[in-house]
Amino acid sequence: MGIEEAKKIVMEHFAGAARRFGFNELYGYIYGVLFLASEPMSLGEIAETTGYSLSHVSTALKFMERIGLVVRIKKPGDKKAYYRATKLLRDWRQAAYYGKIMEDIQQTRANLERALRELEGEEGEEAESIRESITFAMGRNALAERILKFLIEHEDEEVLERLLNCLESDEKR
């Protein structure tokens, strides 16, 4: 029973992650099944394993392929499409939530800029206080955008190595 329970735990984890990031839990179950699979799986195998219908799984796989969570594979002499999960942390992060975070950062910047424009010509203590708050938020937002771009543009190993170097140099101080 240990193997099946371990599989269930992993699948539930990815289903929960999908829900937390605003996706249908089916995406998480599919990702979990493919993450654990030693070989690429067909649509039918995925549907059977997850317990979802072929049409639901097919629709989910199309979306997941489009955002980079799964890769479709054709085997020579076989008309079926097979799928495998992308297992690189970078691919998962980008597909699952980096895009949404970047959208939020860009929307935040646009709204803060719009709010600043509304304050043009306004004077007084309240207007200055609001300007300061917006300027502070814009600085933090720009920093978040730089960090996210770095995470998106660099390989996991480089990100981890630089982070470790920062932590180690901080410990030496």
Side-chain angles (χ1 to χ4, degrees):
M1 183 86 182
I3 292 173
E4 290 307 311
E5 189 61 27
K7 287 180 179 180
K8 182 180 176 190
I9 290 168
V10 171
M11 288 176 58
E12 287 293 331
H13 165 73
F14 285 116
R19 283 189 300 270
R20 284 189 298 279
F21 291 109
F23 295 114
N24 185 312
E25 69 181 19
L26 172 57
Y27 302 155
Y29 285 121
I30 291 171
Y31 188 86
V33 165
L34 293 174
F35 181 83
L36 294 172
S38 57
E39 296 289 324
M41 294 176 69
S42 70
L43 171 67
E45 292 169 327
I46 297 166
E48 184 179 325
T49 305
T50 61
Y52 284 87
S53 71
L54 285 171
S55 64
H56 281 108
V57 171
S58 175
T59 300
L61 283 168
K62 286 176 188 169
F63 175 77
M64 293 172 74
E65 183 179 13
R66 190 170 67 246
I67 65 171
L69 286 176
V70 300
V71 175
R72 185 186 346 195
I73 298 165
K74 292 295 261 178
K75 294 182 179 179
D78 193 341
K79 292 184 180 186
K80 289 182 187 176
Y82 293 84
Y83 298 87
R84 69 171 174 77
T86 56
K87 293 190 179 181
L88 295 175
L89 289 175
R90 179 177 180 220
D91 295 335
W92 169 253
R93 287 192 313 250
Q94 284 180 311
Y97 53 90
Y98 278 3
K100 289 203 178 282
I101 295 170
M102 187 59 82
E103 283 176 29
D104 183 67
I105 287 171
Q106 292 167 345
Q107 186 64 55
T108 299
R109 182 181 58 242
N111 287 331
L112 292 172
E113 289 171 350
R114 203 170 98 227
L116 270 181
R117 283 193 302 275
E118 286 297 320
L119 289 172
E120 288 176 7
E122 295 290 332
E123 295 185 26
E125 201 173 298
E126 184 179 21
E128 190 54 37
S129 174
I130 293 170
R131 263 189 214 90
E132 286 176 15
S133 294
I134 290 172
T135 302
F136 176 79
M138 289 177 77
R140 291 298 174 114
N141 193 64
L143 179 59
E145 185 172 16
R146 282 184 59 206
I147 291 168
L148 188 61
K149 282 182 178 178
F150 178 81
L151 292 173
I152 290 171
E153 294 169 359
H154 294 84
E155 296 296 324
D156 290 338
E157 292 74 25
E158 183 180 356
V159 171
L160 292 173
E161 184 177 318
R162 287 193 186 187
L163 182 58
L164 286 173
N165 288 340
C166 287
L167 291 172
E168 289 169 356
S169 68
D170 194 41
E171 288 173 359
K172 291 176 184 175
R173 286 186 217 166

